[in-house]
Amino acid sequence: MFGAIFCAIKFMMDVMVSSWIRELNGACRASQAVDLFPSICPEIIVRDARVEDCWEVADTHCSSFFPNYTFPIDLVLRIDRFIALLSGFSVPPGSRRTCLVAVTDASGTDNLYIGSKDFKIGIFDGKFNLSRESVAGILTVDTLADYLPRKGPLRQKRTGIAYISNVAVRNADRRKGIAKLLIAKAEARALSWGCRSIALHCDVNNAAATRLYKGQGFKVIKVPDNSRWPQPKIAPNLQFYFMMKLLNSKVNI
Ligand SMILES: CC(=O)SCCNC(=O)CCNC(=O)[C@H](O)C(C)(C)COP(=O)(O)OP(=O)(O)OC[C@H]1O[C@@H](n2cnc3c(N)ncnc32)[C@H](O)[C@@H]1OP(=O)(O)O
């Protein structure tokens, strides 16, 4: 376990260095200076997050949801998220959860993996990949049903409905269809888990996200006043749309 965490931290440092190089590369191009690095138009691939993605997942999350924080708070937030992701929390038997990442892949798909298939660290696959990819977008999908409105008492959770959360795309990679790709993959995953529909909450003031989900076929569902759902603790005063979409196996697979 500690060996794995050590490896993850090493990968994190690796990823930070490569992202600095990427930023330098971008800055060179932006200033029309001599382009020392070949310009790449990498393909986007959506896959399950792996341990080596952990720092970039935390960074994508914090830069998207807390864009106005500066040093040192921004670093503390990232470290906190990084540790939370790595330590994870257990998923009850029968429930599923995965973090999907959209990565720019400059190396093709012939990657070399180290680690066994079923090895998990936190929310991540415990496999290391020796290729160089960078995370452009993230999404979590689960069947925990923690945030789904209940018909009866709070402990009586709904079943057969997958739940999407933490959708975020790095600022520089927005409006390229990455969120749409992530949602399509989440829907396919939910179907493979046997779910008949998929749901999410979206801040009513988040026009971009609301348009995204409506464009992908989600409908705003009126939650009956007497139905019970646990309001996320981090945002007690926010108003949310509860949005749902029926999954169609012919379309989604
Ligand atoms: C369940 C949840 O997690 S809700 C939280 C959503 N996340 C956030 O708000 C974090 C900050 N925002 C982001 O990370 C991004 O802006 C996202 C996730 C909302 C959108 O990601 P993107 O990859 O840019 O979206 P994508 O390119 O797939 O756009 C799909 C559609 O969404 C809508 N959309 C996306 N961004 C915008 C925008 N800024 N303004 C208006 N509509 C937008 C459009 O309809 C767009 O389709 P179009 O480009 O054909 O017009």
Side-chain angles (χ1 to χ4, degrees):
M1 175 67 185
F2 287 109
I5 290 177
F6 173 77
C7 288
I9 289 169
K10 187 179 168 303
F11 265 98
M12 179 187 98
M13 300 307 293
D14 231 13
V15 165
M16 284 167 78
V17 170
S18 66
S19 81
W20 291 334
I21 290 172
R22 213 159 33 104
E23 275 167 27
L24 269 177
N25 190 7
C28 287
R29 275 202 295 272
S31 65
Q32 300 294 302
V34 179
D35 195 348
L36 297 173
F37 300 89
S39 83
I40 306 163
C41 182
E43 208 179 319
I44 300 288
I45 291 170
V46 178
R47 59 162 172 76
D48 290 278
R50 296 192 288 256
V51 176
E52 81 257 23
D53 302 318
C54 198
W55 179 257
E56 286 199 76
V57 169
D59 186 43
T60 306
H61 175 94
C62 294
S63 62
S64 299
F65 289 107
F66 314 109
N68 299 324
Y69 286 99
T70 51
F71 185 82
I73 305 290
D74 62 344
L75 180 62
V76 171
L77 282 173
R78 281 158 177 75
I79 293 171
D80 181 63
R81 185 78 192 161
F82 176 76
I83 292 168
L85 287 168
L86 266 189
S87 52
F89 48 89
S90 60
V91 177
S95 294
R96 309 294 293 267
R97 184 185 57 181
T98 193
C99 174
L100 298 173
V101 288
V103 293
T104 53
D105 180 16
S107 61
T109 50
D110 289 336
N111 298 327
L112 177 59
Y113 296 103
I114 303 169
S116 80
K117 195 166 179 286
D118 299 323
F119 179 42
K120 280 256 180 199
I121 299 173
I123 199 171
F124 296 91
D125 276 348
K127 289 185 290 187
F128 294 101
N129 175 2
L130 296 183
S131 76
R132 280 278 175 267
E133 296 173 324
S134 63
V135 172
I138 57 173
L139 176 154
T140 302
V141 57
D142 65 55
T143 61
L144 296 169
D146 283 344
Y147 293 106
L148 297 180
R150 320 289 203 262
K151 279 183 180 159
L154 264 186
R155 64 175 185 286
Q156 207 173 305
K157 292 184 185 175
R158 307 291 294 266
T159 55
I161 307 173
Y163 187 76
I164 287 179
S165 57
N166 287 318
V167 182
V169 173
R170 282 185 190 276
N171 213 358
D173 294 305
R174 289 183 188 164
R175 298 312 287 263
K176 296 177 183 169
I178 292 177
K180 282 195 248 185
L181 283 177
L182 283 161
I183 292 165
K185 186 83 169 188
E187 289 175 10
R189 185 61 57 88
L191 263 179
S192 77
W193 289 340
C195 296
R196 61 187 183 282
S197 56
I198 192 157
L200 54 86
H201 281 95
C202 178
D203 179 353
V204 296
N205 296 311
N206 192 338
T210 306
R211 200 167 148 200
L212 161 72
Y213 300 125
K214 285 187 175 169
Q216 295 312 106
F218 284 78
K219 302 267 185 277
V220 175
I221 305 292
K222 171 98 178 75
V223 179
D225 292 338
N226 61 352
S227 93
R228 319 182 86 187
W229 76 284
Q231 174 96 5
K233 288 193 187 71
I234 51 157
N237 299 317
L238 281 186
Q239 294 288 307
F240 292 97
Y241 290 129
F242 179 60
M243 304 182 86
M244 266 185 104
K245 178 178 177 179
L246 287 176
L247 296 172
N248 179 341
S249 56
K250 288 189 188 122
V251 175
N252 292 108
I253 283 185

